[in-house]
Amino acid sequence: MAHESIKVALLGAGTVGSQTARLLVEQADEFERRIGARLELTGIAVLDPDQVNDPWIDKSLLTTDTLELTTRADVVVELIGGIEPARTFVLSALNHGASVVTANKALLAQHGPELYEAAERNGVDIYFEAAVGGAIPIVRPLRESMVGDKINRIMGIVNGTTNYILDEMTTRGLAFDTVLKEAQAKGFAEADPTADIGGFDAAAKAAIMSVLAFHRDVRMDDVHVEGIENITESDIEAARAMNRVIKLLAVVSENEQGISAGVYPIMLPADHQLAKVSGSFNAVFVEGEASDDLMFYGRGAGGAPTASAVTGDIVTVARHRVAGSTGPSIPLYSNAPIVDASQAHSSYMVRFNVPDNVGVLARITEIFAQHGVSIRAAQQHEQEDAQGNHELWITTHSVSDHVIRETIDDVAAEKTAGAVISIMRVFEE
Amino acid sequence: MAHESIKVALLGAGTVGSQTARLLVEQADEFERRIGARLELTGIAVLDPDQVNDPWIDKSLLTTDTLELTTRADVVVELIGGIEPARTFVLSALNHGASVVTANKALLAQHGPELYEAAERNGVDIYFEAAVGGAIPIVRPLRESMVGDKINRIMGIVNGTTNYILDEMTTRGLAFDTVLKEAQAKGFAEADPTADIGGFDAAAKAAIMSVLAFHRDVRMDDVHVEGIENITESDIEAARAMNRVIKLLAVVSENEQGISAGVYPIMLPADHQLAKVSGSFNAVFVEGEASDDLMFYGRGAGGAPTASAVTGDIVTVARHRVAGSTGPSIPLYSNAPIVDASQAHSSYMVRFNVPDNVGVLARITEIFAQHGVSIRAAQQHEQEDAQGNHELWITTHSVSDHVIRETIDDVAAEKTAGAVISIMRVFEE
């Protein structure tokens, strides 16, 4: 049975937009068979049509009137990025009855719940597989496959730039600044790398995953964020000495206290599945009540991989339109509290620089004990620095963030005890 | 808006059925919020009601009239297994307008296309996430997320029993028979282990994945199957010497020649993502044209993990019923030829036992050359056996299955040249 065509509007023709247009043109016949209707590229909104030179893009489709384009399509594909004007365009599309496909993690992390609600109110779809983990199907498994399970925790390597930098520091023994400059030269890091290395890109993805996993309105501002900019070669070396590697993880979890969402560097055991994810790959590790451990792994960025996720969404929402239906909505019925980051628990490794005095270890462990911090291991290193000081590594059992910081402040206040070199979370099962 | 309840019928109350019933009871309120209607367990068909003792199962729901139960539910969950009578029950459910959720890989591998067609004809869903990879969401990503991409190849560790046996042989240096007996004693292998160790369970999953990936009617009989029963400790040792590990893979691929589907042991590089999948875990590696490499990892079996996939499907098809819609059908529009296994290409490692004569290597390589088989490496080992023979390992470039076998037959026919110890596929990128 022939169905009239499905009109697709692309907003943006950057790397992902261009690759999406290519897939829509090259795979048009295949998609028609999969959908039962032909996808008709009805317009591509760009800032400057003269800068679009892809041979597969029909120039007559280009327009600069983005808002108008959102009013005359069945499926609007938002690949502009950023909050405004993307938010206005997406809302216009939804309110005009179009389904929306977007890769815009920043927008969803700040305004996702309103947009999901607007889609439901208008009886249309909003799909965003590419917003988390690039080509990796993670949004749909969370939204649909795992809907029969209770998700306890998600830990993801969801930022390729930081994973690449940490990987290079680990395998080549280089300093953060050196690797960052190299990554910028190769195009793996932005000229302004703050969003990546500060952990903000990963935090946006953490917020989006929290909503899907816990059915709770969680926004970017609810996510505790620490980046990798202060990680030194000696941190990497210390991790290696403990048969661990440092990864920047987005971690979201729910327990009796509530929902925690954070992004931070953490020492993983070297044989953990996430520790083996190298270079610019992404991986998301999901711990379900019934399903147990799951992992999703693949390319987290790049034009073609991201475009494959976008076109998968386009085909899905087009199928829904042919069937006169929509996919599942994103119900937000949970009122679980958001746990303040200072209350979140973790094991920590603290490295001190201590003088070679009898009694220093005893004094430091006494301060830990006074704060109720249980020590898993204390290790004093032979090697002296020029001042005759040694490194002392203390690994704790699980303790809340504010308690470990108060403990360390107390140690630092006693000048005789020693100076804090660094403090780093340690992953324990 | 309240919606009337969705009637769910369970066929079978074995390990997975029992856990599914538990999740439906324990998570009833949560599921109601996710679906917008309450799931009402309307009946559980079993052979002998007296043998059901799970405290969460209301005994008044038990029935032995399975066929009748299929006629009075909105969602029929088939967890009986095997071809008949499961096929009759599933068809009855579909023809009576119920959506079906099944974990029955054997049934789908032999009759999937008819059942998918029957579901579409009746305007209902058939979902089967648990049939491949247990708890791992792989069916839905193939069916929906990757629908905008072209899949080139899927390689999966989809049978936990064989992966456990190979893993134990590798890490503990034990013989196949020893490990199999241990696995049977621990309940990791069936009393009759043929379906697992012969590769047939994996072959069923290969057939199901081929249909989803290539939109072509592929059945169990189209899958070339080799098991692990002939793998010896010396094969494992040889792999280790080459920094490889032997895994039983289900491999389905499509190229210009057509579609290939096979299950066989293969030597993977030790640093390949699939090589790191240990014990009873499963993993599926997907190579998409645009998405590049993706991997899905998790528990491939077990009551609760499998039940999580089943209940995820139940919630999804229930949502569709509330919305008055269905998920995507499984269109089979491809007529690509199925490549005969004898024509399939691979690299191989052949181990010979050769006499210590000058000229033996020359003669063997000459026979390889006569068949047009290109040699990547030849390696003669110092160590002699009691007869003064040495092992000679020859690794080939890509060659068709029938050519390598003819070549080896020719070598074996020359008694002076040497005896073939084993032949094993070698994974090359």
Side-chain angles (χ1 to χ4, degrees), chain A residues 101 125-130 132 135-147 151 208 212 296 308-320 327-328 330, chain B residues 127 129 137 139-148 296 312 316 319 328:
Chain A
V101 173
D125 279 322
I126 179 164
Y127 268 62
F128 47 89
E129 187 59 71
V132 183
I136 309 171
I138 176 66
V139 171
R140 194 161 330 203
L142 290 177
R143 189 170 173 177
E144 302 181 31
S145 308
M146 297 194 68
V147 76
I151 294 173
I208 295 169
L212 295 172
F296 305 81
S308 82
V310 170
T311 47
D313 280 351
I314 295 172
V315 170
T316 295
V317 304
R319 276 175 164 179
H320 291 162
I330 301 175
Chain B
Y127 269 61
E129 187 59 70
V139 171
R140 195 161 330 205
L142 290 176
R143 189 170 173 177
E144 301 180 31
S145 308
M146 297 195 68
V147 76
F296 305 81
T316 295
R319 276 175 163 178

Short mmCIF file of all heavy atoms in Angstrom, two decimals, chain A residues 101 125-130 132 135-147 151 208 212 296 308-320 327-328 330, chain B residues 127 129 137 139-148 296 312 316 319 328:
data_model
loop_
_atom_site.label_atom_id
_atom_site.label_comp_id
_atom_site.label_asym_id
_atom_site.label_seq_id
_atom_site.Cartn_x
_atom_site.Cartn_y
_atom_site.Cartn_z
N VAL A 101 13.58 15.10 15.67
CA VAL A 101 14.77 14.31 15.96
C VAL A 101 15.88 15.31 16.26
O VAL A 101 16.08 16.26 15.49
CB VAL A 101 15.16 13.41 14.77
CG1 VAL A 101 16.50 12.73 15.01
CG2 VAL A 101 14.06 12.38 14.51
N ASP A 125 6.35 12.64 18.17
CA ASP A 125 7.55 12.06 18.79
C ASP A 125 8.66 13.08 18.97
O ASP A 125 8.81 14.01 18.15
CB ASP A 125 8.13 10.96 17.86
CG ASP A 125 7.40 9.64 17.98
OD1 ASP A 125 7.02 9.27 19.11
OD2 ASP A 125 7.25 8.95 16.95
N ILE A 126 9.47 12.89 20.02
CA ILE A 126 10.78 13.54 20.06
C ILE A 126 11.81 12.45 20.36
O ILE A 126 11.71 11.75 21.37
CB ILE A 126 10.85 14.71 21.07
CG1 ILE A 126 12.25 15.33 21.06
CG2 ILE A 126 10.42 14.31 22.46
CD1 ILE A 126 12.32 16.71 21.71
N TYR A 127 12.73 12.24 19.42
CA TYR A 127 13.74 11.18 19.53
C TYR A 127 15.12 11.81 19.53
O TYR A 127 15.35 12.82 18.85
CB TYR A 127 13.57 10.17 18.37
CG TYR A 127 12.65 9.02 18.74
CD1 TYR A 127 11.32 9.25 19.07
CD2 TYR A 127 13.11 7.71 18.77
CE1 TYR A 127 10.48 8.20 19.43
CE2 TYR A 127 12.27 6.65 19.12
CZ TYR A 127 10.97 6.91 19.46
OH TYR A 127 10.14 5.88 19.81
N PHE A 128 16.06 11.22 20.26
CA PHE A 128 17.35 11.90 20.44
C PHE A 128 18.48 10.91 20.73
O PHE A 128 19.32 11.16 21.59
CB PHE A 128 17.24 12.97 21.54
CG PHE A 128 16.55 12.49 22.79
CD1 PHE A 128 17.27 11.91 23.82
CD2 PHE A 128 15.17 12.62 22.95
CE1 PHE A 128 16.64 11.46 24.97
CE2 PHE A 128 14.53 12.17 24.10
CZ PHE A 128 15.27 11.60 25.12
N GLU A 129 18.49 9.83 19.99
CA GLU A 129 19.51 8.80 20.20
C GLU A 129 20.92 9.37 20.13
O GLU A 129 21.81 8.95 20.87
CB GLU A 129 19.35 7.69 19.15
CG GLU A 129 20.23 6.48 19.34
CD GLU A 129 19.98 5.81 20.69
OE1 GLU A 129 18.93 5.20 20.87
OE2 GLU A 129 20.86 5.91 21.57
N ALA A 130 21.16 10.33 19.25
CA ALA A 130 22.51 10.84 19.04
C ALA A 130 22.98 11.77 20.16
O ALA A 130 24.16 12.12 20.22
CB ALA A 130 22.59 11.58 17.70
N VAL A 132 23.28 11.21 23.32
CA VAL A 132 24.14 10.51 24.30
C VAL A 132 24.85 9.37 23.59
O VAL A 132 24.20 8.51 22.99
CB VAL A 132 23.32 9.94 25.47
CG1 VAL A 132 24.24 9.29 26.50
CG2 VAL A 132 22.46 11.01 26.13
N ALA A 135 26.83 7.22 18.13
CA ALA A 135 26.22 6.13 17.37
C ALA A 135 25.68 5.02 18.26
O ALA A 135 24.96 4.15 17.79
CB ALA A 135 27.24 5.54 16.41
N ILE A 136 26.05 5.01 19.54
CA ILE A 136 25.68 3.89 20.40
C ILE A 136 24.20 3.95 20.75
O ILE A 136 23.73 4.95 21.26
CB ILE A 136 26.48 3.93 21.73
CG1 ILE A 136 27.96 4.08 21.46
CG2 ILE A 136 26.20 2.68 22.54
CD1 ILE A 136 28.77 4.35 22.72
N PRO A 137 23.47 2.87 20.47
CA PRO A 137 22.07 2.87 20.92
C PRO A 137 22.03 2.75 22.43
O PRO A 137 22.24 1.68 22.98
CB PRO A 137 21.47 1.62 20.25
CG PRO A 137 22.45 1.21 19.20
CD PRO A 137 23.79 1.68 19.70
N ILE A 138 21.82 3.85 23.11
CA ILE A 138 21.70 3.81 24.56
C ILE A 138 20.39 4.47 25.01
O ILE A 138 19.75 4.02 25.95
CB ILE A 138 22.94 4.45 25.26
CG1 ILE A 138 22.75 4.49 26.78
CG2 ILE A 138 23.28 5.82 24.74
CD1 ILE A 138 22.70 3.14 27.42
N VAL A 139 19.98 5.53 24.29
CA VAL A 139 18.73 6.20 24.66
C VAL A 139 17.56 5.23 24.51
O VAL A 139 16.74 5.08 25.41
CB VAL A 139 18.51 7.46 23.80
CG1 VAL A 139 17.12 8.03 24.04
CG2 VAL A 139 19.59 8.50 24.11
N ARG A 140 17.50 4.54 23.37
CA ARG A 140 16.36 3.66 23.14
C ARG A 140 16.33 2.47 24.10
O ARG A 140 15.28 2.17 24.65
CB ARG A 140 16.33 3.20 21.69
CG ARG A 140 15.00 2.57 21.35
CD ARG A 140 14.78 2.53 19.89
NE ARG A 140 15.47 3.65 19.25
CZ ARG A 140 15.15 4.14 18.09
NH1 ARG A 140 14.16 3.62 17.43
NH2 ARG A 140 15.84 5.14 17.57
N PRO A 141 17.48 1.80 24.35
CA PRO A 141 17.44 0.76 25.37
C PRO A 141 16.94 1.26 26.73
O PRO A 141 16.14 0.61 27.38
CB PRO A 141 18.88 0.27 25.44
CG PRO A 141 19.39 0.46 24.05
CD PRO A 141 18.74 1.75 23.59
N LEU A 142 17.39 2.46 27.14
CA LEU A 142 16.91 2.99 28.43
C LEU A 142 15.43 3.32 28.36
O LEU A 142 14.68 3.09 29.31
CB LEU A 142 17.69 4.25 28.80
CG LEU A 142 19.15 4.05 29.21
CD1 LEU A 142 19.80 5.40 29.47
CD2 LEU A 142 19.26 3.16 30.45
N ARG A 143 15.01 3.87 27.23
CA ARG A 143 13.63 4.34 27.09
C ARG A 143 12.66 3.19 26.88
O ARG A 143 11.50 3.28 27.28
CB ARG A 143 13.59 5.28 25.89
CG ARG A 143 12.34 6.05 25.67
CD ARG A 143 12.58 7.11 24.59
NE ARG A 143 11.37 7.79 24.20
CZ ARG A 143 11.32 8.79 23.32
NH1 ARG A 143 12.44 9.21 22.74
NH2 ARG A 143 10.19 9.37 23.01
N GLU A 144 13.12 2.12 26.24
CA GLU A 144 12.19 1.06 25.86
C GLU A 144 12.58 -0.33 26.36
O GLU A 144 11.82 -0.99 27.04
CB GLU A 144 12.03 1.04 24.34
CG GLU A 144 11.53 2.38 23.81
CD GLU A 144 11.33 2.40 22.31
OE1 GLU A 144 11.01 1.37 21.72
OE2 GLU A 144 11.52 3.48 21.72
N SER A 145 13.81 -0.77 26.05
CA SER A 145 14.15 -2.16 26.36
C SER A 145 14.16 -2.42 27.85
O SER A 145 13.76 -3.48 28.32
CB SER A 145 15.53 -2.52 25.80
OG SER A 145 15.63 -2.19 24.44
N MET A 146 14.67 -1.45 28.64
CA MET A 146 14.85 -1.70 30.06
C MET A 146 13.67 -1.22 30.88
O MET A 146 13.74 -1.14 32.11
CB MET A 146 16.14 -1.05 30.54
CG MET A 146 17.34 -1.66 29.84
SD MET A 146 18.88 -1.22 30.64
CE MET A 146 18.69 -2.12 32.18
N VAL A 147 12.58 -0.91 30.21
CA VAL A 147 11.43 -0.33 30.89
C VAL A 147 10.76 -1.35 31.82
O VAL A 147 9.97 -0.99 32.68
CB VAL A 147 10.47 0.26 29.84
CG1 VAL A 147 9.70 -0.85 29.14
CG2 VAL A 147 9.57 1.31 30.41
N ILE A 151 16.50 0.33 37.17
CA ILE A 151 17.91 0.67 36.95
C ILE A 151 18.49 1.21 38.25
O ILE A 151 17.94 2.14 38.85
CB ILE A 151 18.05 1.67 35.80
CG1 ILE A 151 17.61 0.99 34.49
CG2 ILE A 151 19.49 2.18 35.69
CD1 ILE A 151 17.53 1.91 33.31
N ILE A 208 20.40 13.80 30.98
CA ILE A 208 19.46 13.14 30.04
C ILE A 208 19.26 11.68 30.45
O ILE A 208 18.13 11.17 30.48
CB ILE A 208 20.01 13.24 28.60
CG1 ILE A 208 20.04 14.71 28.14
CG2 ILE A 208 19.16 12.39 27.65
CD1 ILE A 208 20.81 14.94 26.84
N LEU A 212 15.73 9.44 31.77
CA LEU A 212 15.27 8.20 31.14
C LEU A 212 15.27 7.04 32.14
O LEU A 212 14.38 6.20 32.12
CB LEU A 212 16.17 7.86 29.95
CG LEU A 212 16.12 8.85 28.80
CD1 LEU A 212 17.20 8.49 27.77
CD2 LEU A 212 14.75 8.85 28.14
N PHE A 296 27.16 -0.92 26.69
CA PHE A 296 26.96 -0.49 25.32
C PHE A 296 28.20 0.29 24.91
O PHE A 296 28.61 1.22 25.62
CB PHE A 296 25.73 0.42 25.21
CG PHE A 296 24.48 -0.21 25.76
CD1 PHE A 296 24.22 -0.22 27.11
CD2 PHE A 296 23.57 -0.82 24.92
CE1 PHE A 296 23.09 -0.81 27.63
CE2 PHE A 296 22.42 -1.41 25.43
CZ PHE A 296 22.18 -1.41 26.78
N SER A 308 24.31 8.26 11.76
CA SER A 308 23.61 6.97 11.72
C SER A 308 22.56 6.90 12.81
O SER A 308 21.48 6.35 12.61
CB SER A 308 24.59 5.80 11.85
OG SER A 308 24.93 5.56 13.20
N ALA A 309 22.87 7.48 13.99
CA ALA A 309 21.88 7.51 15.06
C ALA A 309 20.73 8.44 14.70
O ALA A 309 19.56 8.14 14.95
CB ALA A 309 22.54 7.95 16.37
N VAL A 310 21.07 9.58 14.09
CA VAL A 310 20.03 10.54 13.69
C VAL A 310 19.10 9.92 12.64
O VAL A 310 17.87 10.00 12.76
CB VAL A 310 20.68 11.83 13.14
CG1 VAL A 310 19.63 12.74 12.50
CG2 VAL A 310 21.41 12.58 14.26
N THR A 311 19.67 9.26 11.64
CA THR A 311 18.82 8.69 10.59
C THR A 311 18.00 7.51 11.14
O THR A 311 16.87 7.30 10.71
CB THR A 311 19.62 8.25 9.36
OG1 THR A 311 20.75 7.50 9.78
CG2 THR A 311 20.10 9.44 8.58
N GLY A 312 18.57 6.76 12.09
CA GLY A 312 17.78 5.70 12.73
C GLY A 312 16.54 6.27 13.38
O GLY A 312 15.44 5.73 13.25
N ASP A 313 16.71 7.42 14.04
CA ASP A 313 15.56 8.09 14.65
C ASP A 313 14.58 8.60 13.59
O ASP A 313 13.36 8.52 13.77
CB ASP A 313 16.03 9.28 15.50
CG ASP A 313 16.55 8.85 16.87
OD1 ASP A 313 16.40 7.66 17.23
OD2 ASP A 313 17.10 9.72 17.58
N ILE A 314 15.13 9.15 12.50
CA ILE A 314 14.24 9.66 11.44
C ILE A 314 13.38 8.53 10.89
O ILE A 314 12.16 8.66 10.73
CB ILE A 314 15.06 10.31 10.29
CG1 ILE A 314 15.81 11.55 10.80
CG2 ILE A 314 14.15 10.67 9.11
CD1 ILE A 314 16.80 12.14 9.78
N VAL A 315 14.01 7.38 10.63
CA VAL A 315 13.26 6.24 10.09
C VAL A 315 12.20 5.79 11.09
O VAL A 315 11.05 5.52 10.72
CB VAL A 315 14.22 5.09 9.72
CG1 VAL A 315 13.45 3.81 9.39
CG2 VAL A 315 15.10 5.49 8.53
N THR A 316 12.57 5.76 12.37
CA THR A 316 11.61 5.32 13.40
C THR A 316 10.41 6.26 13.49
O THR A 316 9.26 5.81 13.47
CB THR A 316 12.30 5.23 14.77
OG1 THR A 316 13.29 4.20 14.70
CG2 THR A 316 11.31 4.89 15.86
N VAL A 317 10.66 7.55 13.58
CA VAL A 317 9.51 8.46 13.73
C VAL A 317 8.71 8.52 12.44
O VAL A 317 7.47 8.70 12.48
CB VAL A 317 9.91 9.87 14.24
CG1 VAL A 317 10.67 9.78 15.56
CG2 VAL A 317 10.69 10.66 13.20
N ALA A 318 9.37 8.33 11.29
CA ALA A 318 8.62 8.28 10.03
C ALA A 318 7.70 7.06 10.00
O ALA A 318 6.54 7.14 9.59
CB ALA A 318 9.59 8.25 8.85
N ARG A 319 8.22 5.91 10.47
CA ARG A 319 7.38 4.71 10.57
C ARG A 319 6.16 4.96 11.45
O ARG A 319 5.06 4.51 11.16
CB ARG A 319 8.17 3.57 11.20
CG ARG A 319 9.05 2.79 10.27
CD ARG A 319 9.82 1.80 11.14
NE ARG A 319 10.43 0.74 10.37
CZ ARG A 319 11.16 -0.23 10.90
NH1 ARG A 319 11.36 -0.26 12.21
NH2 ARG A 319 11.68 -1.17 10.15
N HIS A 320 6.41 5.64 12.57
CA HIS A 320 5.29 5.93 13.47
C HIS A 320 4.23 6.76 12.75
O HIS A 320 3.04 6.53 12.91
CB HIS A 320 5.77 6.68 14.72
CG HIS A 320 6.60 5.83 15.63
ND1 HIS A 320 7.43 6.37 16.59
CD2 HIS A 320 6.78 4.49 15.72
CE1 HIS A 320 8.04 5.39 17.24
NE2 HIS A 320 7.67 4.26 16.72
N GLY A 327 5.97 6.74 19.38
CA GLY A 327 6.70 5.90 20.32
C GLY A 327 6.25 6.21 21.73
O GLY A 327 5.38 7.06 21.95
N PRO A 328 6.86 5.54 22.72
CA PRO A 328 6.48 5.80 24.10
C PRO A 328 6.83 7.22 24.51
O PRO A 328 7.84 7.77 24.08
CB PRO A 328 7.32 4.79 24.89
CG PRO A 328 8.46 4.45 24.01
CD PRO A 328 7.95 4.56 22.61
N ILE A 330 7.83 9.98 27.58
CA ILE A 330 8.84 9.89 28.64
C ILE A 330 8.18 10.36 29.93
O ILE A 330 8.22 11.54 30.27
CB ILE A 330 10.07 10.74 28.26
CG1 ILE A 330 10.64 10.22 26.95
CG2 ILE A 330 11.12 10.72 29.37
CD1 ILE A 330 11.78 11.03 26.39
N TYR B 127 7.31 -9.42 19.95
CA TYR B 127 8.59 -8.91 20.47
C TYR B 127 9.37 -10.07 21.09
O TYR B 127 8.78 -10.97 21.69
CB TYR B 127 8.34 -7.80 21.50
CG TYR B 127 8.31 -6.42 20.87
CD1 TYR B 127 7.36 -6.11 19.91
CD2 TYR B 127 9.24 -5.46 21.23
CE1 TYR B 127 7.34 -4.85 19.31
CE2 TYR B 127 9.23 -4.19 20.63
CZ TYR B 127 8.27 -3.90 19.67
OH TYR B 127 8.26 -2.65 19.08
N GLU B 129 13.01 -9.77 22.59
CA GLU B 129 14.33 -9.31 23.02
C GLU B 129 15.13 -10.42 23.70
O GLU B 129 16.35 -10.51 23.54
CB GLU B 129 14.16 -8.12 23.98
CG GLU B 129 15.45 -7.44 24.37
CD GLU B 129 16.20 -6.89 23.18
OE1 GLU B 129 15.74 -5.92 22.57
OE2 GLU B 129 17.24 -7.47 22.81
N PRO B 137 20.01 -5.74 25.42
CA PRO B 137 19.16 -5.20 24.36
C PRO B 137 19.92 -5.25 23.04
O PRO B 137 20.81 -4.43 22.79
CB PRO B 137 18.92 -3.75 24.79
CG PRO B 137 19.31 -3.67 26.22
CD PRO B 137 20.40 -4.71 26.39
N VAL B 139 18.08 -7.08 20.10
CA VAL B 139 17.03 -7.19 19.09
C VAL B 139 16.48 -5.81 18.75
O VAL B 139 16.36 -5.44 17.58
CB VAL B 139 15.91 -8.13 19.57
CG1 VAL B 139 14.71 -8.07 18.63
CG2 VAL B 139 16.42 -9.56 19.70
N ARG B 140 16.16 -5.03 19.79
CA ARG B 140 15.57 -3.72 19.53
C ARG B 140 16.53 -2.77 18.82
O ARG B 140 16.13 -2.10 17.87
CB ARG B 140 15.04 -3.11 20.82
CG ARG B 140 14.11 -1.95 20.53
CD ARG B 140 13.25 -1.64 21.71
NE ARG B 140 13.00 -2.86 22.46
CZ ARG B 140 11.96 -3.04 23.24
NH1 ARG B 140 11.08 -2.09 23.36
NH2 ARG B 140 11.79 -4.16 23.91
N PRO B 141 17.80 -2.68 19.26
CA PRO B 141 18.72 -1.85 18.48
C PRO B 141 18.79 -2.25 17.00
O PRO B 141 18.81 -1.40 16.12
CB PRO B 141 20.06 -2.05 19.19
CG PRO B 141 19.67 -2.27 20.61
CD PRO B 141 18.40 -3.09 20.53
N LEU B 142 18.83 -3.56 16.73
CA LEU B 142 18.88 -3.98 15.32
C LEU B 142 17.58 -3.64 14.60
O LEU B 142 17.57 -3.23 13.45
CB LEU B 142 19.11 -5.50 15.22
CG LEU B 142 20.50 -5.99 15.62
CD1 LEU B 142 20.54 -7.51 15.55
CD2 LEU B 142 21.57 -5.39 14.71
N ARG B 143 16.46 -3.81 15.31
CA ARG B 143 15.15 -3.63 14.69
C ARG B 143 14.80 -2.16 14.53
O ARG B 143 14.08 -1.79 13.60
CB ARG B 143 14.13 -4.32 15.61
CG ARG B 143 12.73 -4.44 15.09
CD ARG B 143 11.94 -5.36 16.02
NE ARG B 143 10.54 -5.42 15.68
CZ ARG B 143 9.65 -6.20 16.30
NH1 ARG B 143 10.05 -6.98 17.30
NH2 ARG B 143 8.39 -6.21 15.95
N GLU B 144 15.31 -1.33 15.46
CA GLU B 144 14.86 0.07 15.45
C GLU B 144 16.00 1.08 15.37
O GLU B 144 16.02 1.92 14.48
CB GLU B 144 14.00 0.34 16.68
CG GLU B 144 12.78 -0.56 16.72
CD GLU B 144 11.89 -0.33 17.93
OE1 GLU B 144 11.80 0.79 18.43
OE2 GLU B 144 11.27 -1.32 18.39
N SER B 145 16.97 0.98 16.30
CA SER B 145 17.97 2.05 16.36
C SER B 145 18.82 2.10 15.10
O SER B 145 19.19 3.16 14.62
CB SER B 145 18.91 1.84 17.55
OG SER B 145 18.20 1.66 18.73
N MET B 146 19.18 0.92 14.57
CA MET B 146 20.12 0.90 13.45
C MET B 146 19.42 0.86 12.10
O MET B 146 20.03 0.60 11.08
CB MET B 146 21.06 -0.30 13.60
CG MET B 146 21.88 -0.19 14.88
SD MET B 146 23.25 -1.33 14.85
CE MET B 146 24.25 -0.61 13.55
N VAL B 147 18.14 1.15 12.12
CA VAL B 147 17.35 1.04 10.90
C VAL B 147 17.73 2.12 9.89
O VAL B 147 17.39 2.03 8.72
CB VAL B 147 15.85 1.06 11.28
CG1 VAL B 147 15.40 2.45 11.63
CG2 VAL B 147 15.00 0.41 10.23
N GLY B 148 18.46 3.13 10.33
CA GLY B 148 18.94 4.17 9.41
C GLY B 148 20.32 3.88 8.88
O GLY B 148 20.92 4.71 8.19
N PHE B 296 27.48 -4.66 22.32
CA PHE B 296 26.47 -4.81 23.36
C PHE B 296 26.87 -5.99 24.22
O PHE B 296 27.14 -7.06 23.69
CB PHE B 296 25.09 -5.08 22.73
CG PHE B 296 24.68 -4.05 21.71
CD1 PHE B 296 25.16 -4.09 20.42
CD2 PHE B 296 23.83 -3.03 22.07
CE1 PHE B 296 24.79 -3.14 19.48
CE2 PHE B 296 23.45 -2.06 21.14
CZ PHE B 296 23.94 -2.12 19.85
N GLY B 312 10.51 -6.11 29.79
CA GLY B 312 10.69 -4.90 28.96
C GLY B 312 9.81 -4.97 27.72
O GLY B 312 9.15 -4.00 27.35
N THR B 316 6.52 -2.69 26.71
CA THR B 316 6.48 -2.00 25.41
C THR B 316 5.22 -2.34 24.63
O THR B 316 4.52 -1.45 24.13
CB THR B 316 7.72 -2.38 24.58
OG1 THR B 316 8.88 -1.88 25.24
CG2 THR B 316 7.64 -1.79 23.18
N ARG B 319 2.23 -0.74 26.21
CA ARG B 319 2.15 0.69 25.86
C ARG B 319 1.55 0.87 24.47
O ARG B 319 0.75 1.78 24.23
CB ARG B 319 3.55 1.29 25.84
CG ARG B 319 4.09 1.72 27.17
CD ARG B 319 5.52 2.17 26.93
NE ARG B 319 6.06 2.97 28.02
CZ ARG B 319 7.30 3.43 28.04
NH1 ARG B 319 8.12 3.20 27.03
NH2 ARG B 319 7.72 4.15 29.05
N PRO B 328 7.34 -1.30 15.02
CA PRO B 328 7.62 -1.52 13.60
C PRO B 328 7.47 -3.01 13.26
O PRO B 328 7.80 -3.87 14.07
CB PRO B 328 9.07 -1.08 13.45
CG PRO B 328 9.66 -1.14 14.82
CD PRO B 328 8.53 -0.86 15.76
#
